[in-house]
Amino acid sequence: MDDLARHADDLAALPPSCGPVRLVAVDGHAGSGKSTFAARLAAALGGAPVLRLDDLATHEELFGWTGRLREQVLLPLARGERARYAPYDWTERRFGPARPLEPAPVVLVEGVGAGRREVRPWLAALCWMELDRETSWERGRRRDGAGLTGFWDGWTLAEARHFAEDPSRPHADALVRQLPEGYAWLPGPHATAGANRNVTHGSQDAPPY
């Protein structure tokens, strides 16, 4: 098990990527543990804000949220301003009151597709949850229960189509595998290709992602 605090320190030491913000994406298949990992990484970062892409997606636009992300979040943060986004209510099927998102030193963006091509230019680092899609989807279905079987049937088709057209994993700086206690970190394809090497080697004595 790697020390999460060490990796958090390396992320915080990266050059800003979106105005003054180091935007760090947590991507992976639905059910792969992104939300739990992002919460723990945010805590290791001293309470970094977490933007959940579920708040920007809708029933009709599972992956059609890039315009909202850009206008409501990325552009304000790039100007060093507080962002404001309206989270989607999945029960009421409408957007709710706006929430603020501060231009903190590190901001996490978590969700399926967080590392898509339209978002990558804004990122300081991309973490991919290393769990195969069948296992991830089964975990997600089990978590959400039989009442959401119809939603999951549609989701898996949409997710498979999205990653076939716009894969995130080949661009990941870190591959994160959940262990019974903690996480194992492996270098991602992007890091091993020589890009963003500060993410993997920012601390001389820290094990690489």
Side-chain angles (χ1 to χ4, degrees):
M1 180 181 68
D2 287 342
D3 183 354
L4 196 58
R6 284 187 173 185
H7 300 290
D9 288 344
D10 283 347
L11 293 171
L14 291 173
S17 60
C18 182
V21 173
R22 295 149 188 86
L23 196 66
V24 176
V26 178
D27 203 341
H29 299 292
S32 61
K34 298 180 302 300
S35 297
T36 299
F37 170 72
R40 293 180 181 174
L41 182 58
L45 285 160
V50 180
L51 173 67
R52 305 193 185 284
L53 292 175
D54 284 350
D55 287 339
L56 299 183
T58 70
H59 284 88
E60 292 75 27
E61 296 177 310
L62 295 177
F63 291 95
W65 40 259
T66 51
R68 286 187 287 276
L69 177 66
R70 176 183 173 86
E71 297 301 320
Q72 298 180 20
V73 177
L74 299 179
L75 291 178
L77 293 182
R79 296 190 296 266
E81 300 171 0
R82 172 188 291 173
R84 292 180 65 83
Y85 66 97
Y88 183 70
D89 187 319
W90 288 86
T91 302
E92 298 294 329
R93 291 176 173 259
R94 58 180 174 81
F95 290 102
R99 293 179 185 170
L101 183 68
E102 300 293 339
V106 180
V107 173
L108 305 181
V109 56
E110 172 269 312
V112 180
R116 68 195 305 175
R117 66 173 62 94
E118 292 175 83
V119 181
R120 286 196 295 272
W122 305 86
L123 297 179
L126 167 57
C127 300
W128 174 267
M129 301 304 295
E130 188 73 338
L131 187 67
D132 67 272
R133 71 180 191 179
E134 287 77 15
T135 303
S136 298
W137 291 347
E138 178 57 32
R139 281 176 45 168
R141 286 178 182 272
R142 204 164 50 240
R143 175 194 65 203
D144 292 343
L148 289 179
T149 295
F151 175 82
W152 268 96
D153 289 345
W155 171 269
T156 54
L157 292 174
E159 183 186 304
R161 183 166 55 248
H162 167 73
F163 280 135
E165 297 171 354
D166 189 359
S168 295
R169 189 182 183 279
H171 305 276
D173 300 291
L175 303 179
V176 181
R177 183 176 294 118
Q178 189 172 4
L179 301 175
E181 293 185 13
Y183 295 91
W185 300 73
L186 300 170
H190 196 223
T192 55
N196 247 3
R197 293 186 63 83
N198 284 340
V199 179
T200 58
H201 301 290
S203 296
Q204 187 175 6
D205 61 343
Y209 283 174

